[in-house]
Amino acid sequence: MKTLNNETADVGIGTMIILIAIILVATVAAIMLLYSTGELQQKATITAKDAPSKVTTNIVIDSVFGDRLNSTEPGLQPGIQGISIRIKPEVGTISMDLRQIIITKMSSSENVVLNYSNTSGTVNSFSASTVRDEDGSFSADAPVLNSGDLVDIEFHTLDYTKPILIPRQIITLSLNQERGASANLELTAPNSFGNDRFVKLYP
């Protein structure tokens, strides 16, 4: 009896297995590609929304004055007891909330973080008052700056024996926004304050 060997079927099954494996690999690769594309698109959308606000949100420091008067002690003090920073939004800046701004005050002996408070006389805090607010958007409870506004940021020392600045001392102020670049400023006190209550520190 003669036996016939047909290897064509074996080759066909092997080819089919390889084809199925290639399809499965291609399917997994396509799924991963679609997932990555969706994730990248989502990140790109978020970046596109955040980029304009970061670029167009900027603080301009107009002037800085020191005040030698302390409410707890009569008369002028040897050192500066309070700092007043006059700021305004850059032209084209979107609305800016002062409650989201953190001020870092650094010197050779300390590093203090100040947060917004709608009442003065709070430890490690700063308050704000309007100089120009034509649209009436700014208030103590909702300190929102719009383009064209002018605001004074103020903070004081509670202990008159520990002034913020003494003659020849240097401190660094950093105004850190929620979005956009921080505004950094180095203040150097003059050699003598004389008899003046207010001392110009910048510009």
Side-chain angles (χ1 to χ4, degrees):
M1 186 176 190
K2 187 177 180 181
T3 303
L4 298 176
N5 294 326
N6 189 352
E7 298 178 354
T8 304
D10 294 337
V11 174
I13 292 174
T15 304
M16 183 177 66
I17 293 174
I18 294 174
L19 180 61
I20 292 174
I22 292 174
I23 293 174
L24 289 175
V25 171
T27 303
V28 173
I31 292 173
M32 293 299 296
L33 183 61
L34 290 174
Y35 175 78
S36 300
T37 302
E39 188 175 2
L40 289 174
Q41 183 181 4
Q42 185 178 8
K43 290 182 178 180
T45 303
I46 295 174
T47 303
K49 290 181 179 179
D50 290 343
S53 61
K54 290 182 179 180
V55 173
T56 60
T57 303
N58 195 22
I59 293 175
V60 176
I61 298 177
D62 187 70
S63 61
V64 180
F65 284 88
D67 187 356
R68 296 173 59 195
L69 198 64
N70 192 300
S71 59
T72 61
E73 187 73 12
L76 297 180
Q77 303 304 312
I80 290 176
Q81 304 290 309
I83 295 287
S84 177
I85 308 170
R86 182 160 293 182
I87 66 170
K88 59 184 177 181
E90 184 66 86
V91 177
T93 296
I94 61 175
S95 297
M96 184 187 308
D97 193 343
L98 289 185
R99 289 171 295 188
Q100 304 302 323
I101 291 180
I102 297 174
I103 299 178
T104 305
K105 179 171 68 73
M106 293 170 287
S107 67
S108 58
S109 59
E110 65 176 359
N111 188 349
V112 180
V113 175
L114 308 175
N115 294 281
Y116 176 79
S117 175
N118 58 2
T119 57
S120 59
T122 308
V123 178
N124 295 339
S125 68
F126 67 90
S127 59
S129 59
T130 57
V131 178
R132 181 179 64 227
D133 180 25
E134 295 181 357
D135 58 357
S137 62
F138 189 94
S139 67
D141 294 328
V144 178
L145 275 72
N146 294 323
S147 181
D149 292 348
L150 198 61
V151 171
D152 281 345
I153 290 178
E154 301 172 343
F155 58 91
H156 304 267
T157 177
L158 300 181
D159 186 355
Y160 74 94
T161 63
K162 297 179 180 179
I164 299 173
L165 267 175
I166 58 175
R168 299 183 180 86
Q169 186 182 6
I170 299 174
I171 64 171
T172 301
L173 298 178
S174 179
L175 281 67
N176 302 287
Q177 308 176 75
E178 183 181 16
R179 293 174 177 171
S182 60
N184 301 308
L185 192 64
E186 185 177 88
L187 303 178
T188 303
N191 297 336
S192 175
F193 298 147
N195 295 321
D196 298 329
R197 172 184 172 179
F198 296 102
V199 180
K200 188 176 183 180
L201 301 173
Y202 178 85

